[in-house]
Amino acid sequence: MKKLFITGITAAAVLATCTATAFAAPSIIVNSNTLATDQEPVIVDSRTLVPMRAIFEALGCEVRWDADSKTVYAQKDLQYLSLTIGDDTLYTTKDTISLDVPAQIINNRTMVPLRAVSEALQATVSWDAATETVTVQSAAQGSYPYTVKTYTENQNGVSLDMAYPQFTAETNVNQTVLSDVNKQLAAASHSRATALMQELATEEPHSATVEERFAVTYNKGNYTSVLFQTVQNTGGAHPMTFRNGTIYDMTTGKIQTAADILKCEQKEVDKMVLDGFTAQINAKPELFYENALEELSQAIAHHSYNYYLTEDGLTFFFHPYDIAPYASGFQEFTVPLMK
């Protein structure tokens, strides 16, 4: 998979070697494969440290090393992690995690705590004392396993880096439907790429980058939900980030509406969205525009909200600038599904 962050980590070699006491570490197995490294894992203060790129890539992440700040950045799907050399905090998209042992330089290699970064990525970690082996297993992908397809394109000063899923399944699944879903996903991704290329190539200055990644937010039973996130950087004050959710019925291959998922009329969906976001605006008005209620009503009238499915329910969202400033991020409201 082409790395989202197109930078090397050679700068790590010039950093000072850590002086912490380190002992020989056990064997590391990640997703049934022995972790291959150019620097052996070590134990520091009873915690196993492993080379950053090796473990992150083994867990399906894309990795960047920032030499100036001495910070490791990793991304898996739409989840982000960062660790700074010597800092005892691991930052993730949703949480901050205290570390017993911080990331550090050992033998000119950036080493990160194995259990902390693995569990932050929802992997399970187990220890076999008899064989002195640590086993790391990524979370299951769900009813329909998938691979990640990527492609890049560079034209007229616009650079695109896109990714989308392609699902697989056992023979008892309708392969015709599965193939149709995969074709829809590929076509939609390429269509967005074409539209973005045409749009950005006409803007000044003629230099822009676009990175699109995704998360499979629900993958169980009859439904699969994919949330795409597109980040455009045209050199402005900040990148622009957009999301697009699609839910597929895996028995028919058809895209599902919110009304389909909630099993109600569209007007009932609109009322749920109105009531849910109105409550949020009234509870924390400082996060929204002063005329947010008016903007909300207009947005619902035009059905300009989007949604995706999770284990918690159907999550509706608005983009930055729709009903709230950019700094407030995506505004979300979840409707639990009927059991």
Side-chain angles (χ1 to χ4, degrees):
M1 180 178 185
K2 183 180 181 295
K3 300 297 171 287
L4 174 65
F5 307 107
I6 316 272
T7 58
I9 59 169
T10 55
V14 302
L15 297 176
T17 299
C18 177
T19 59
T21 302
F23 302 92
S27 299
I28 311 295
I29 305 296
V30 181
N31 295 332
S32 302
N33 298 309
T34 299
L35 186 68
T37 66
D38 59 357
Q39 159 64 44
E40 290 187 356
V42 297
I43 294 178
V44 177
D45 296 336
S46 301
R47 294 293 181 264
T48 301
L49 302 183
V50 293
M52 66 156 184
R53 185 171 290 278
I55 184 59
F56 281 130
E57 291 186 350
L59 290 171
C61 293
E62 300 173 280
V63 190
R64 179 170 69 90
W65 165 256
D66 188 316
D68 292 335
S69 63
K70 300 180 183 179
T71 300
V72 181
Y73 297 95
Q75 178 184 0
K76 182 175 183 180
D77 300 331
L78 301 184
Q79 183 177 5
Y80 299 85
L81 284 73
S82 68
L83 305 94
T84 299
I85 298 299
D87 190 345
D88 61 1
T89 302
L90 168 64
Y91 297 91
T92 75
T93 305
K94 296 181 178 180
D95 302 299
T96 57
I97 300 170
S98 296
L99 301 174
D100 295 324
V101 176
Q104 51 197 264
I105 303 297
I106 298 177
N107 294 333
N108 294 325
R109 289 293 181 269
T110 302
M111 307 289 282
V112 297
L114 173 65
R115 180 177 291 274
V117 300
S118 299
E119 292 182 345
L121 291 164
Q122 288 76 56
T124 57
V125 182
S126 60
W127 162 248
D128 187 330
T131 61
E132 295 188 342
T133 300
V134 178
T135 300
V136 181
Q137 183 63 49
S138 295
Q141 290 185 321
S143 298
Y144 306 94
Y146 58 90
T147 57
V148 180
K149 296 294 183 181
T150 63
Y151 67 93
T152 61
E153 187 175 353
N154 293 275
Q155 290 185 30
N156 303 318
V158 180
S159 175
L160 299 179
D161 182 359
M162 315 289 284
Y164 58 90
Q166 293 287 273
F167 291 94
T168 61
E170 300 298 329
T171 54
N172 60 341
V173 173
N174 188 319
Q175 297 297 315
T176 299
V177 170
L178 200 63
S179 177
D180 181 47
V181 169
N182 286 334
K183 288 178 181 178
Q184 291 183 62
L185 285 162
S189 183
H190 283 270
S191 178
R192 285 193 296 274
T194 298
L196 286 166
M197 182 67 74
Q198 293 175 347
E199 175 187 346
L200 295 174
T202 62
E203 296 184 357
E204 295 286 350
H206 295 304
S207 177
T209 62
V210 177
E211 294 174 339
E212 181 168 277
R213 293 297 183 265
F214 68 88
V216 177
T217 60
Y218 191 89
N219 190 7
K220 184 178 179 181
N222 293 341
Y223 298 124
T224 290
S225 176
V226 184
L227 179 64
F228 288 93
Q229 179 166 286
T230 309
V231 180
Q232 301 178 22
N233 192 340
T234 58
H238 55 72
M240 291 297 296
T241 304
F242 304 93
R243 288 179 176 175
N244 177 53
T246 308
I247 305 170
Y248 294 93
D249 184 329
M250 300 301 279
T251 65
T252 65
K254 294 182 178 179
I255 294 175
Q256 300 296 284
T257 66
D260 292 331
I261 298 298
L262 296 175
K263 303 185 187 311
C264 64
E265 298 294 328
Q266 182 59 49
K267 62 182 180 181
E268 296 177 80
V269 174
D270 290 344
K271 188 175 187 309
M272 291 180 193
V273 176
L274 178 63
D275 292 345
F277 282 102
T278 295
Q280 290 188 357
I281 293 169
N282 289 334
K284 294 185 177 180
E286 67 277 8
L287 297 179
F288 299 86
Y289 292 135
E290 289 185 3
N291 65 336
L293 291 176
E294 179 182 343
E295 295 287 346
L296 175 64
S297 296
Q298 293 180 2
I300 291 174
H302 292 92
H303 296 136
S304 61
Y305 53 80
N306 208 320
Y307 47 84
Y308 59 94
L309 189 61
T310 72
E311 292 283 350
D312 294 328
L314 190 63
T315 297
F316 294 90
F317 65 89
F318 286 100
H319 289 95
Y321 294 126
D322 283 347
I323 60 175
Y326 179 85
S328 294
F330 289 86
Q331 303 303 313
E332 295 189 336
F333 167 70
T334 299
V335 177
L337 301 183
M338 297 295 292
K339 299 295 184 180

